[in-house]
Amino acid sequence: MVSKERRIKNRQYYLEHRDEWLKKGREYYRANHERILQRERLKYQANHDQILDRAKRYYWDNREKIIEKVRQLKLRALQLISGLEIPRCNNCSCDTLEFLEINHKNGGGTRDYGMHGGNMYQAILWGRRTEKGKIQRKTDDLEVLCRVCNSLHYLRLKYPKAKIYPEVRWSNFVPRWAAQE
């Protein structure tokens, strides 16, 4: 076992020569990139069940924290898109966070979500959305809609020749932003 003094000395040495160590590590990775990826791939395939079990266990042990983090990411992304502190639906002014969604005005949301997996909110916040292979930092093509209005938007895009579309009206609904004024 390494003594405490030796660990401190090793740590000091590493901090003094950190740039050299990082440079060596990068060079090694560049030289052995394919071999490292192949080794990681094989390790994942051999331990696939254990890795999935560990991920599931982590999720259930930290479920509340994960859900709250995703909720905060969603709120920040909706705030960025809407430009409002309390985001609300562009059509009906619904401001219940659980009902609000990000709508792609010109369609293509499935493709956009598919490219980012579960990290769509992060991609929006960090300006990392991709459009046809290019990074797109703008959110001009996005808007905030509630689930009902987003479904109606989908129907309008899917069936443009339909003559009648339902209209959304909330009875006895006072949005939070109106109640505060």
Side-chain angles (χ1 to χ4, degrees):
M1 188 162 159
V2 181
S3 69
K4 186 175 181 179
E5 294 85 25
R6 185 68 184 161
R7 280 196 309 264
I8 292 171
K9 195 172 183 179
N10 287 347
R11 181 72 180 155
Q12 228 173 356
Y13 177 82
Y14 171 76
L15 292 174
E16 290 170 5
H17 299 87
R18 182 175 186 268
D19 293 335
E20 295 171 35
W21 282 97
L22 291 175
K23 185 178 177 184
K24 285 181 185 178
R26 281 191 295 270
E27 289 171 0
Y28 178 82
Y29 184 77
R30 279 190 204 112
N32 300 292
H33 176 71
E34 290 298 321
R35 193 169 57 93
I36 292 170
L37 288 180
Q38 181 64 25
R39 185 181 65 212
E40 291 299 318
R41 214 175 285 122
L42 291 173
K43 188 165 62 170
Y44 178 79
Q45 289 170 353
N47 301 307
H48 184 260
D49 293 337
Q50 292 93 340
I51 292 169
L52 285 181
D53 288 343
R54 193 177 327 127
K56 287 177 187 177
R57 196 170 40 249
Y58 177 84
Y59 174 78
W60 286 107
D61 290 347
N62 300 289
R63 187 169 184 264
E64 291 83 17
K65 190 166 56 172
I66 293 169
I67 289 171
E68 183 56 30
K69 182 179 178 184
V70 171
R71 188 177 189 284
Q72 289 302 317
L73 283 173
K74 179 180 179 179
L75 176 63
R76 288 178 39 216
L78 293 174
Q79 287 170 335
L80 177 72
I81 293 166
S82 69
L84 302 170
E85 188 176 334
I86 299 175
R88 60 179 180 245
C89 176
N90 282 356
N91 289 344
C92 68
S93 297
C94 171
D95 61 352
T96 306
L97 184 63
E98 291 76 19
F99 298 165
L100 296 178
E101 297 181 341
I102 295 170
N103 177 45
H104 291 70
K105 294 177 187 176
N106 305 319
T110 303
R111 181 179 55 245
D112 205 5
Y113 278 97
M115 291 186 76
H116 300 289
N119 297 323
M120 183 66 184
Y121 300 130
Q122 287 179 344
I124 290 169
L125 290 171
W126 296 345
R128 295 276 184 202
R129 290 178 52 230
T130 51
E131 178 79 25
K132 296 178 183 170
K134 296 180 182 177
I135 292 180
Q136 178 182 1
R137 298 186 189 284
K138 299 177 196 163
T139 57
D140 301 354
D141 63 328
L142 303 177
E143 66 181 342
V144 177
L145 293 180
C146 70
R147 180 68 185 131
V148 175
C149 293
N150 201 4
S151 296
L152 291 173
H153 178 265
Y154 167 78
L155 290 174
R156 287 187 184 109
L157 287 178
K158 184 82 173 170
Y159 306 104
K161 295 181 181 178
K163 294 183 171 113
I164 299 174
Y165 292 106
E167 192 173 309
V168 178
R169 289 193 193 124
W170 295 90
S171 62
N172 301 326
F173 177 72
V174 179
R176 272 187 288 159
W177 60 268
Q180 293 175 352
E181 293 174 351

